[in-house]
Structures are given as structure tokens and as C-alpha cells.
Amino acid sequence: MKNINVKITLDDEAMVTIKKEIKQQIEEYVRQDLILCDIDELERLTCMSKSYLDDCFLHDPRVRQYQRRRGPKGKRFWIYKPTVETIEYIVTHEWGI
């Protein structure tokens, strides 16, 4: 077996791009195991404000059906996968992009 040494030189822009790609792949891997998400996680995933999410998505009956809350004043959670899929559907099919 031979050892091979490889030296790669990258500029700052390439390093930033590689770091972003690695971070995205790690986040996608971790998200596969999520069961529930809260509004903070949805805000982070969509890059939308909480008020915008509430106005445009979270009161939509297609998304609201996945909301769970323990008690009338409890924190709101959403079942992760169908909620994200529904938001993605609304954005891609109904926003006319």
C-alpha cells in the first residue's frame, strides 16, 4: 500500500463555497431524523420572519393540520416532514415563481 500526499490550494471564495456545501449536507442529514419543529426552526429553514410564516403558511389549513400543541396556551410544534413538504409545495406551485 502506498501513501500519497496531495496538496490543494484554494482561494477564499472556494473555501467559503466548500464550507457552505459541507454545512448544508450535514444539516440535511440531521434533518432526516427530525420529528417535530417549532417556529424558530421553520424561521431558520425558510429564512422568513416568524410573522411572515404565520401570515403566509402557518394559518393555512394544509399546514395547520400538522400543528401540535399541549394545552390551549402550549408551545406550537409542527410535524416536520409533511409541514416542510407543504410549505415547499405552496412556494413552488402557488407563488408563480
Side-chain angles (χ1 to χ4, degrees):
M1 183 184 294
K2 288 187 176 183
N3 290 333
I4 300 174
N5 293 324
V6 178
K7 184 176 180 179
I8 300 174
T9 305
L10 300 170
D11 61 16
D12 290 340
E13 186 177 327
M15 284 299 295
V16 169
T17 302
I18 291 170
K19 285 180 183 179
K20 283 182 181 177
E21 180 65 28
I22 291 170
K23 184 178 178 181
Q24 180 182 0
Q25 288 184 12
I26 291 170
E27 287 177 357
E28 287 176 11
Y29 178 77
V30 170
R31 275 190 241 138
Q32 292 175 2
D33 294 335
L34 286 178
I35 297 171
L36 300 173
C37 58
D38 63 3
I39 195 163
D40 294 323
E41 179 69 11
L42 290 173
E43 180 181 32
R44 190 183 69 73
L45 289 171
T46 62
C47 298
M48 298 175 184
S49 70
K50 293 175 186 178
S51 60
Y52 192 80
L53 284 166
D54 248 340
D55 293 342
C56 294
F57 300 107
L58 303 181
H59 289 292
D60 186 309
R62 295 171 290 179
V63 175
R64 194 170 180 89
Q65 68 180 329
Y66 303 117
Q67 179 181 308
R68 300 296 182 264
R69 178 183 285 200
R70 187 168 184 174
K73 300 260 185 191
K75 183 175 179 176
R76 297 183 300 167
F77 292 95
W78 290 266
I79 301 172
Y80 178 78
K81 189 173 181 178
T83 300
V84 171
E85 288 172 352
T86 304
I87 291 172
E88 185 177 331
Y89 178 84
I90 292 168
V91 169
T92 57
H93 291 89
E94 296 178 13
W95 281 17
I97 297 175

